[in-house]
Amino acid sequence: MGYDLHITRVDHWTDADRAPISRGEWESFARQRLAEGGEVTFGETGTESVFGFDCGTGDVVSLHWWRDQVTVTGITEVRSVAALRWISEALAARLIGDDGEAY
């Protein structure tokens, strides 16, 4: 695979502001269930926490909040997508690929 996935509450991740996952909601969820793994800095939103998740497939992915959604990077195995579904379901959201495909 080798591209980003997005956890969002809309049909396409670029429209995440229409039904946002708030930064606070994400960080509360992630701090309870995922491993903290550093920070990433964006010019427009500042510094965001990065969380790691071992998919059990050889992929250890990184997740971070950005513009009303959660971005997942580091997926190389298609099997890893199934391991991430519980996160999107717990947030009442969907798992969407860069090109808008739903998983």
Side-chain angles (χ1 to χ4, degrees):
M1 260 180 160
Y3 59 92
D4 294 344
L5 295 179
H6 309 271
I7 298 172
T8 181
R9 294 183 174 137
V10 293
D11 290 336
H12 199 279
W13 62 273
T14 58
D15 297 325
D17 62 330
R18 293 183 184 178
I21 296 171
S22 73
R23 177 186 293 145
E25 178 184 8
W26 163 246
E27 288 186 356
S28 176
F29 171 86
R31 289 188 198 296
Q32 293 175 19
R33 296 173 178 94
L34 304 172
E36 288 196 55
E39 298 176 333
V40 63
T41 302
F42 299 105
E44 68 275 2
T45 60
T47 302
E48 301 296 338
S49 298
V50 175
F51 296 88
F53 177 70
D54 186 339
C55 295
T57 61
D59 283 342
V60 178
V61 299
S62 296
L63 299 97
H64 65 275
W65 182 89
W66 184 71
R67 291 187 176 175
D68 302 319
Q69 60 162 316
V70 177
T71 300
V72 183
T73 60
I75 292 182
T76 60
E77 294 285 331
V78 173
R79 298 175 299 141
S80 298
V81 174
L84 291 164
R85 283 194 189 118
W86 74 271
I87 297 173
S88 61
E89 290 171 0
L91 293 168
R94 304 174 65 207
L95 193 58
I96 306 291
D98 271 343
D99 295 327
E101 65 280 16
Y103 293 97

